[in-house]
Amino acid sequence: MDLERLKKLREENFLKHKKKKREYYLKSKNKDSSSAKYKDLKSIDYSEELNDENFLKNMKLIAKKQKGHIDDRKEQIIKKIQDYKKQKKDYYQENKEDRLNYDKEYREKKKEQLREYRKEYYRKNREKILAKQKEKRKLN
């Protein structure tokens, strides 16, 4: 087979696959939209829910439930936070040498670029840097 024919065959197969995917998508979309879970929904009358007395009562009830839930889980939450801090500290201690070595290698590798960057930074911000230095000298 020549290359052109292979390309054409590949393109045709790709288009067939794309069409098949599109049909499947549309079929599943129609199936979901007509499913029973959406048909049984009732409309809610919010006018009664949102009148001043009921609204305040509902808000207080919700706040009370949330506070109770948080109070119940307070010890668990504190314990999880402490465990996370300990785990983070242990990980930091374990990988301290690796991180320091990596930083050292990075600085060695990028030494020239860092030098150029600092030189350019100083050139751009020369006035600001000099003004800060003069203020420090005055204070001392």
Side-chain angles (χ1 to χ4, degrees):
M1 291 183 132
D2 61 336
L3 187 62
E4 291 300 320
R5 184 167 170 185
L6 285 173
K7 285 183 181 179
K8 188 175 180 183
L9 186 62
R10 182 174 178 262
E11 185 69 26
E12 288 173 5
N13 288 339
F14 179 71
L15 291 175
K16 283 181 192 176
H17 174 69
K18 198 172 182 182
K19 184 178 177 185
K20 192 174 179 182
K21 270 178 76 173
R22 178 77 177 151
E23 288 172 359
Y24 178 76
Y25 167 74
L26 292 173
K27 183 180 171 185
S28 64
K29 186 178 177 185
N30 289 336
K31 185 178 176 184
D32 284 347
S33 65
S34 64
S35 67
K37 66 179 178 182
Y38 296 115
K39 289 182 180 178
D40 294 334
L41 288 178
K42 298 175 187 174
S43 62
I44 300 172
D45 183 22
Y46 288 107
S47 60
E48 189 175 316
E49 290 284 326
L50 294 176
N51 72 24
D52 289 334
E53 292 175 19
N54 286 344
F55 182 73
L56 290 175
K57 286 180 186 175
N58 288 341
M59 291 301 292
K60 287 179 182 177
L61 183 66
I62 290 170
K64 188 175 181 181
K65 285 181 183 177
Q66 288 177 341
K67 185 173 182 343
H69 179 70
I70 289 174
D71 289 343
D72 290 344
R73 293 186 38 89
K74 189 173 183 175
E75 292 87 24
Q76 292 174 339
I77 292 170
I78 290 172
K79 185 179 178 206
K80 282 186 180 182
I81 290 171
Q82 289 171 346
D83 289 346
Y84 177 73
K85 284 181 181 178
K86 185 180 179 215
Q87 180 184 4
K88 196 173 176 182
K89 186 177 179 180
D90 292 343
Y91 180 80
Y92 179 82
Q93 293 297 330
E94 258 180 48
N95 297 307
K96 187 176 181 179
E97 283 298 318
D98 295 339
R99 203 175 46 260
L100 291 174
N101 287 335
Y102 174 79
D103 289 345
K104 185 178 179 181
E105 289 172 10
Y106 180 81
R107 282 192 304 273
E108 286 297 320
K109 191 181 345 177
K110 301 283 184 171
K111 193 176 203 174
E112 200 58 40
Q113 287 179 334
L114 289 170
R115 190 175 290 146
E116 288 297 319
Y117 171 78
R118 289 187 196 107
K119 197 181 288 186
E120 186 67 24
Y121 178 82
Y122 182 77
R123 189 183 59 77
K124 283 183 180 178
N125 298 311
R126 185 172 182 212
E127 291 80 25
K128 292 179 189 174
I129 294 170
L130 290 174
K132 285 181 185 177
Q133 287 176 348
K134 284 180 184 177
E135 281 202 24
K136 285 183 182 177
R137 287 182 194 134
K138 286 180 183 177
L139 292 175
N140 290 336

